[in-house]
Amino acid sequence: MAAAMLLHVSGSVFANGLLGASHLDLTLKNVGLINTTDQLSDRGVGDQVAWAQALHLDWQSGWYRDVVSVNAAWYGVTKLYASDNFMGRDLLRDNQGHAEGFNKLGQLYLKTRWEQRDQRLQMNLGWQPLAKFGVLNITRSRGAPDSWEAVSVDGTAGPLRARAAVTRRFSERDSPEKSRFYTLSGNKSIGYIATGDLTWTPRPETSVRLVAGGSEDYLLRQGIEVSHRWPFADEVALLSRGVFYYNRGLSEWEGARGFTHSAQHIYGQLGLQYGDGETGIGWSKTRAKLEGGLGHFYWHFGKNTRGFINSAADGEGNDYINDGEQMIYLYSQYHLAPGLLAGVYGNYGYNVRYQGVALHEWEYGAFASWEPESVKNLRLFLGLGPSYSWKLDRRNQPSLAAEGKGFHRAKGLGGLMSIEYRLGLF
C-alpha cells in the first residue's frame, strides 16, 4: 500500500505540476559571419567566413506547488561553410584550424521561488544563462549561446533588486566542452567566480546599478551604471546614461595581459528619442597601464570566462579600450514600420600612444532588424560595416613601421546575418 501511495503522489507531482504545465520550443537559426580584417596577417590569418545552421530545443516544466520548476535546453550547430585555416569566429568549433559542428546539453537547472506582494525571491541551480548578471554575461548572436554552471539568487523588494551568483565552469558558444577557469599566463586553476549586483529603480525613468565580482585570488571588478530618461514633449525625450568600472589584479594576477595592476573605464552617452527614432552621441576613456606593452581594459576573468562592459567602446569591429584611448560614438536608428528597425553607427578612437607612435582607429556600419507581424516569432537581422585599426605582431602588440615612423594599418569588412524562427511544439 505504501508503494501504491508513493506512485500516486509521484504521478500527481509530474502530471499536475512539472509535466502537466510544461512546454517545449523548437528554434531554427541560420547564422553567417564574415571578417576580412588583415589585423593578424603577420600570423598568416586571412579572411574568415563561417556559415552555420543551428537547432535549439528549449523545455520548461510547470511549477510544482508554485515552488519548484526545471529548465533544460539542447543545442545543435551544423557547419554549412567555413574558411580554410579556420580561426573559429565563435560560431563553429575550431579543431586545430578545421571547422566542425557540435551539439550539447547547454542548460539544465532547477528553479525554486517564493513570492509575496511586491517581494520575490528565486534561486537557480545548475547549467544556466547568466545574461548581464553582475559582471558576467552570455551572448545569443551565434548558433548556440554560452552557459554557466552556477548557483544564482535573484530577489526584488519594491524598487530594489539584488542578484548574486557563484560559478565553477563555463561552456562557450562555439564548443560542447564544459570548462573550468584558468589564469591567463600561468595556466593555474581558478576555483570559482563570484558576482552580484544591486539595482535601484525608484521610477521607470531612472535606474542605478552597482556591480561587483571577481575570480578567486585573480581579478576583481567593481562598477556603477546609471541611466535616466527625461521626457519634455509629446513623444520626445532626452536619454542619458553613464558607467564607470574599476579592475584590480589580486594575488595571483600575473599582470602580463591587459594591465599590470589596475585599469579604469568610463563611458557617458546622451540620446534624443523622437517618435519612432533615436539619435545620440557617446564618449569613453580608458586607463590600463601595462609594463612593456600597450595595455587595455581586460573585461573577462581568466581563460574560459565571459565578462562584459555596458559601453559602446565594445565595438562591432574594434574594442576601444586601450590605455589612454578616448572614443567618440555616434548612432541613429528609426522604426521604419512595425517590427522593422534600421540604423547606422560610427566609432572613432584616438589618444593612444605606443612607443612614441600615435595610434587611432575607427569603424562605421549599418544594420536592420525585422520581426514581421504576419509571421509570429520570426526575426531577421543584417549588419555590415568596415573597420580600421592597427596590425598586431606576434607578441599581440601594435606593428610599427621601421624606425618608429608610424604603424601598419589594419582594415577589413565585418558582417553578420541571421534568420531565426521559434515554434512552440507544446
Side-chain angles (χ1 to χ4, degrees):
M1 180 177 292
M5 291 180 62
L6 180 60
L7 288 173
H8 175 75
V9 171
S10 299
S12 176
V13 168
F14 284 97
N16 300 321
L18 297 179
L19 293 182
S22 67
H23 64 267
L24 178 67
D25 290 337
L26 167 67
T27 300
L28 299 174
K29 190 172 185 179
N30 192 280
V31 182
L33 288 165
I34 181 173
N35 184 358
T36 68
T37 182
D38 56 358
Q39 189 172 51
L40 300 178
S41 60
D42 290 350
R43 305 180 197 176
V45 178
D47 296 352
Q48 294 290 301
V49 179
W51 182 26
Q53 177 64 51
L55 184 149
H56 300 179
L57 287 173
D58 296 278
W59 178 74
Q60 180 175 323
S61 78
W63 287 89
Y64 175 65
R65 295 187 181 277
D66 206 31
V67 173
V68 178
S69 182
V70 177
N71 275 34
W74 178 90
Y75 308 123
V77 179
T78 301
K79 182 183 79 170
L80 300 179
Y81 176 81
S83 303
D84 294 334
N85 191 26
F86 187 67
M87 288 288 289
R89 303 304 312 137
D90 296 331
L91 176 59
L92 295 164
R93 187 182 189 184
D94 184 359
N95 184 4
Q96 298 181 346
H98 299 285
E100 296 179 347
F102 64 93
N103 61 78
K104 63 180 177 180
L105 183 63
Q107 296 181 30
L108 180 60
Y109 61 100
L110 178 72
K111 303 183 295 184
T112 63
R113 71 181 181 186
W114 171 85
E115 295 184 14
Q116 181 178 346
R117 296 180 182 175
D118 65 343
Q119 300 175 349
R120 181 185 66 83
L121 182 66
Q122 179 169 317
M123 182 177 72
N124 298 341
L125 173 63
W127 283 96
Q128 58 191 281
L130 296 177
K132 293 193 173 182
F133 194 113
V135 295
L136 301 180
N137 198 19
I138 65 170
T139 54
R140 303 183 189 273
S141 60
R142 303 301 196 261
D146 312 297
S147 55
W148 299 86
E149 183 186 41
V151 178
S152 65
V153 179
D154 184 347
T156 60
L160 293 176
R161 182 184 186 186
R163 303 186 298 175
V166 178
T167 174
R168 296 176 62 88
R169 289 194 295 171
F170 180 63
S171 183
E172 293 266 11
R173 57 193 178 181
D174 61 351
S175 171
E177 304 298 331
K178 308 289 196 295
S179 303
R180 295 194 179 277
F181 316 133
Y182 295 93
T183 62
L184 295 174
S185 298
N187 213 37
K188 297 180 180 178
S189 177
I190 298 173
Y192 64 86
I193 298 174
T195 188
D197 54 37
L198 177 64
T199 304
W200 178 50
T201 311
R203 49 188 177 274
E205 298 85 4
T206 305
S207 176
V208 179
R209 180 173 177 257
L210 302 176
V211 301
S215 41
E216 180 190 22
D217 298 329
Y218 196 58
L219 182 61
L220 174 68
R221 178 172 309 141
Q222 299 164 296
I224 182 171
E225 304 171 358
V226 180
S227 65
H228 185 73
R229 182 177 183 272
W230 312 75
F232 58 87
D234 290 343
E235 297 188 339
V236 179
L238 182 67
L239 309 176
S240 62
R241 70 181 185 94
V243 304
F244 173 76
Y245 303 106
Y246 175 73
N247 265 3
R248 179 167 62 89
L250 302 180
S251 60
E252 295 294 329
W253 177 250
E254 303 100 338
R257 178 176 169 184
F259 55 89
T260 302
H261 300 295
S262 64
Q264 305 87 39
H265 179 79
I266 187 171
Y267 176 70
Q269 180 176 304
L270 285 175
L272 181 66
Q273 192 176 54
Y274 45 92
D276 293 326
E278 182 181 329
T279 300
I281 184 172
W283 171 86
S284 73
K285 185 175 183 178
T286 303
R287 290 291 186 192
K289 296 293 184 182
L290 177 67
E291 294 180 4
L294 178 62
H296 66 273
F297 189 94
Y298 178 73
W299 61 56
H300 305 304
F301 290 87
K303 292 180 181 178
N304 306 321
T305 70
R306 188 175 303 284
F308 78 104
I309 55 174
N310 269 324
S311 168
D314 177 9
E316 298 297 328
N318 303 322
D319 295 327
Y320 303 84
I321 52 172
N322 299 286
D323 179 45
E325 186 164 23
Q326 299 184 48
M327 180 210 66
I328 298 294
Y329 170 66
L330 299 170
Y331 75 95
S332 185
Q333 60 185 35
Y334 195 83
H335 287 274
L336 301 175
L340 178 58
L341 175 67
V344 294
Y345 64 89
N347 304 64
Y348 180 74
Y350 60 99
N351 205 48
V352 182
R353 298 194 69 85
Y354 175 66
Q355 296 185 3
V357 176
L359 307 175
H360 53 280
E361 55 185 341
W362 69 92
E363 67 184 276
Y364 55 90
F367 67 90
S369 175
W370 185 34
E371 298 181 33
E373 293 183 321
S374 57
V375 184
K376 188 178 180 181
N377 299 325
L378 174 65
R379 182 174 184 268
L380 298 89
F381 178 85
L382 177 64
L384 189 69
S387 62
Y388 303 83
S389 186
W390 47 83
K391 291 187 178 183
L392 297 176
D393 61 23
R394 295 188 179 277
R395 299 185 305 113
N396 211 39
Q397 293 297 314
S399 176
L400 302 182
E403 301 179 358
K405 295 180 179 179
F407 61 94
H408 295 126
R409 170 66 68 195
K411 58 186 179 301
L413 181 70
L416 183 148
M417 176 277 298
S418 70
I419 303 172
E420 183 175 344
Y421 179 65
R422 179 169 54 84
L423 176 66
L425 300 181
F426 61 80

